[in-house]
Amino acid sequence: MRQHGVMTTISLVQGDITEQQADAIVNAANSSLLGGGGVDGAIHRRGGPEILAACRDLRASHYGKGLGVGQAVATTAGRLPARWVIHTVGPVWSAEEDRSGLLASCYRESLRVADELGASSVAFPAVSTGVYGWPLDDGARIALETVRRADTAVTDVRFVLFDETAYAVFAALH
Ligand code: ADP
């Protein structure tokens, strides 16, 4: 049942998510929460050591085995313009196994965490479509469908696509 009853505007931006002025930006993290390449590397580089320190605290306090695939958790955004970083762990693409439920969960759980924080604007990257190998068009479809269906108080969801190709794929489905 829908509880929030607010309209969520979904928009697309081509650019670098670390530059976004949003209450929260979402990180395509890995389960260690201790940094990686791609968007994760960029967030830690630009956001400074405070984010990694918060991630280490989370590992020590709640996530001894790491954050599970499809889950999400928030930290400070350090020096970034955003207020929070919501870390989510996307599934690695598999041709043998349908993991799309886990990818959808990344978007849903990130919005649930955003609601807990009271964030009204959230910027997402295309989770799993980089090093984790998810086909861009399918990743975009899952991202857009999941956010459209989500029951959230977030009013502004922005997909921040790093390159022209990713932007075009999202735009075709938007
Ligand atoms: P994953 O391991 O979940 O695949 P990646 O960071 O490798 O995560 O890639 C996820 C998506 O984020 C890819 O489409 C990649 O092009 C994009 N990306 C990489 N850097 C940035 C950035 N600074 N801002 C927004 N998107 C980015």
Side-chain angles (χ1 to χ4, degrees):
M1 191 173 75
R2 289 207 166 240
Q3 298 178 325
H4 292 98
V6 299
M7 283 293 290
T8 304
T9 303
I10 300 176
S11 53
L12 309 180
V13 178
Q14 191 190 329
D16 181 339
I17 200 166
T18 64
E19 294 170 3
Q20 290 295 306
Q21 304 269 356
D23 293 335
I25 65 168
V26 174
N27 181 18
N30 59 54
S31 70
S32 81
L33 292 177
L34 301 180
V39 70
D40 196 6
I43 285 172
H44 284 287
R45 235 177 358 258
R46 297 276 307 257
E50 219 188 322
I51 302 176
L52 190 57
C55 286
R56 287 191 202 285
D57 286 349
L58 279 172
R59 280 297 303 270
S61 61
H62 290 88
Y63 301 99
K65 292 179 181 164
L67 184 65
V69 177
Q71 297 188 325
V73 69
T75 66
T76 171
R79 298 185 202 124
L80 297 174
R83 193 155 160 206
W84 298 286
V85 173
I86 298 173
H87 306 264
T88 191
V89 182
V92 174
W93 163 257
S94 165
E96 289 81 41
E97 188 188 12
D98 180 8
R99 297 178 179 165
S100 49
L102 289 167
L103 185 54
S105 172
C106 289
Y107 291 99
R108 237 183 351 258
E109 286 298 299
S110 294
L111 289 172
R112 190 184 57 72
V113 170
D115 284 335
E116 278 174 13
L117 294 167
S120 57
S121 53
V122 177
F124 281 100
V127 178
S128 288
T129 66
V131 173
Y132 282 4
W134 207 283
L136 196 51
D137 55 348
D138 197 55
R141 180 187 61 77
I142 291 167
L144 287 162
E145 278 180 6
T146 306
V147 171
R148 279 187 200 121
R149 288 181 189 155
D151 177 23
T152 177
V154 174
T155 52
D156 165 13
V157 170
R158 224 172 296 162
F159 288 101
V160 183
L161 296 323
F162 202 42
D163 55 39
E164 233 169 273
T165 307
Y167 182 87
V169 169
F170 271 74
L173 296 168
H174 187 34

